Amino acid sequence: MSGPTASLRPPADAQPPVRHPDAPAPGELLGAHYDQCFGCGGSQPHGLHLAARAGQGVSVTADFTVKPAHQGAPGLAHGGVLATALDETLGSLNWLLRVIAVTGRLETDFVRPVPVDTVLYLDAHVTAVAGRKIYSSAVGRIGGPEGPVAVRADALFIEVKVDHFIEHGRPAEIKAALEDPDQTKVARAFEVNP
């Protein structure tokens, strides 16, 4: 693998990421950013139920178990589900920066098959920030956090304002999320959805 394409390489004037002082502490479970999220939400019966934890610096670790509902070929995870797991993990990084950002580009490499009932261990970190652009990378391993690499991704997230979701989302869901009395849930609801 030669690395990310030019659009996913930070420009020369990019800055190192800076963890927000109010970011969750290393080891802290981040929880679902939105209960209806297919990647991390608890209300999606066939969702990934991905669990992410804050790491050191601007990094997160996550894991999810591939269930029969996630298969593409018989007995193997669907590539789109694996890309979703990578995207969800990479999107969780934005909570450590305390910015609202959406996926602008996601480049995924599928290195080896991931069987059903396998736990995929994901590790992601922000590599650089350039204005509204956030560059990040992730790797997914099977057999344990140090196991063989199964998938990897490089991503570009773009910082947006909450108006992005208000303009493009379904009004009923947007209204319900904005009216939640828990202001942390309000902030988190809009952190990664495109």
Side-chain angles (χ1 to χ4, degrees), residues 158-171:
I158 308 297
E159 185 176 351
V160 297
K161 302 296 180 204
V162 75
D163 293 350
H164 169 87
F165 301 97
I166 294 168
E167 180 179 337
H168 300 288
R170 263 192 345 182

Side-chain angles (χ1 to χ4, degrees), residues 5-175:
T5 59
S7 63
L8 292 175
R9 282 193 290 271
D13 63 346
Q15 301 295 310
V18 177
R19 184 188 188 99
H20 192 280
D22 296 330
E28 188 175 328
L29 186 64
L30 299 182
H33 76 92
Y34 178 54
D35 199 44
Q36 294 296 318
C37 176
F38 180 78
C40 66
S43 292
Q44 292 293 336
H46 298 297
L48 304 185
H49 303 155
L50 189 131
R53 290 189 181 279
Q56 297 295 325
V58 186
S59 70
V60 298
T61 59
D63 61 74
F64 93 97
T65 301
V66 178
K67 301 291 185 189
H70 303 143
Q71 64 190 312
L76 298 174
H78 190 288
V81 168
L82 298 175
T84 300
L86 287 161
D87 184 49
E88 185 69 29
T89 304
L90 289 158
S92 296
L93 291 165
N94 298 316
W95 190 239
L96 302 180
L97 298 172
R98 297 305 281 263
V99 298
I100 299 171
V102 296
T103 310
R105 184 170 175 88
L106 177 69
E107 189 173 287
T108 305
D109 294 311
F110 301 96
V111 179
R112 69 180 68 238
V114 179
V116 169
D117 295 326
T118 296
V119 177
L120 185 67
Y121 298 89
L122 298 133
D123 189 8
H125 64 279
V126 174
T127 57
V129 177
R132 293 177 45 227
K133 295 180 177 181
I134 301 163
Y135 297 86
S136 54
S137 295
V139 64
R141 298 174 182 271
I142 57 176
E146 303 300 321
V149 173
V151 292
R152 64 172 65 95
D154 292 295
L156 169 64
F157 281 79
I158 308 297
E159 185 176 351
V160 297
K161 302 296 180 204
V162 75
D163 293 350
H164 169 87
F165 301 97
I166 294 168
E167 180 179 337
H168 300 288
R170 263 192 345 182
E173 281 87 351
I174 297 298
K175 183 176 186 294

